[in-house]
Amino acid sequence: MESERYFSGEIVVVLADGSRRSARVTADEILEVDKEIYRVFFEQGAETKVAESEEDFFEALKNLRHDLEKTGALLHCFGASENVYPSGMQKSMGPAILAYRMHIGSPALRKDIVNIFDADQTVVPSTVEQQKQFHERWIKSLSGKA
């Protein structure tokens, strides 16, 4: 079994009361004989969580976010931002560590590509469902059906 680390760093967590705390996050691709596993490890104080997906890192991050949402916590990173979502090609041709920042009514451009574990002041922390709904609105806005 081999593994490759794609990310290791701090991500801010927005707690239910609005306060913020840092968490240590690592993202590893585990290569087994017959499959790839995308693992996101989360550590905040004494609390640790592991989320996995056989699809990609974006899905593993969504699994972690579902778990954090049970306590009202949201991650402050591009992969958890309302207006960020990977394209089909980013998901099918790689580990989906990159995604597009979307703008209603405008197609995503190369300059809109971000790393899902990075963050800046434009991140809009959201639930998995809010992010999905924004993505659906964005798709409709491109066809004039927004």
Side-chain angles (χ1 to χ4, degrees):
M1 179 171 76
E2 292 181 50
S3 71
E4 183 176 348
R5 177 140 302 156
Y6 277 78
F7 177 81
S8 179
E10 301 288 318
I11 292 181
V12 171
V13 180
V14 182
L15 303 176
D17 65 4
S19 64
R20 295 171 177 251
R21 281 209 230 141
S22 285
R24 181 91 183 138
V25 175
T26 57
D28 298 306
E29 178 182 25
I30 313 299
L31 304 171
E32 294 186 351
V33 175
D34 58 344
K35 64 183 170 184
E36 299 168 36
I37 299 170
Y38 300 92
R39 180 176 296 152
V40 177
F41 182 78
F42 174 93
E43 184 177 13
Q44 187 178 48
E47 178 183 24
T48 60
K49 296 180 183 297
V50 177
E52 295 181 344
S53 169
E54 290 184 22
E55 258 184 83
D56 55 52
F57 283 116
F58 187 74
E59 293 301 317
L61 188 62
K62 277 178 26 180
N63 292 338
L64 172 63
R65 292 169 58 208
H66 276 299
D67 195 20
L68 292 171
E69 286 174 20
K70 293 173 187 172
T71 64
L74 302 173
L75 293 178
H76 187 272
C77 63
F78 286 121
S81 185
E82 180 181 64
N83 65 333
V84 173
Y85 211 87
S87 69
M89 186 178 291
Q90 287 167 322
K91 288 180 72 59
S92 68
M93 295 188 66
I97 199 154
L98 300 177
Y100 283 102
R101 201 175 349 205
M102 303 166 293
H103 307 279
I104 298 294
S106 300
L109 303 172
R110 187 172 300 171
K111 69 180 181 76
D112 298 317
I113 296 173
V114 293
N115 182 306
I116 64 172
F117 295 104
D118 289 343
D120 68 14
Q121 70 282 358
T122 66
V123 168
V124 180
S126 67
T127 65
V128 171
E129 184 59 28
Q130 288 168 327
Q131 186 181 44
K132 178 183 168 210
Q133 288 174 5
F134 186 95
H135 184 243
E136 290 168 358
R137 283 195 318 272
W138 175 75
I139 289 171
K140 288 178 184 173
S141 78
L142 297 179
S143 62
K145 299 178 184 173

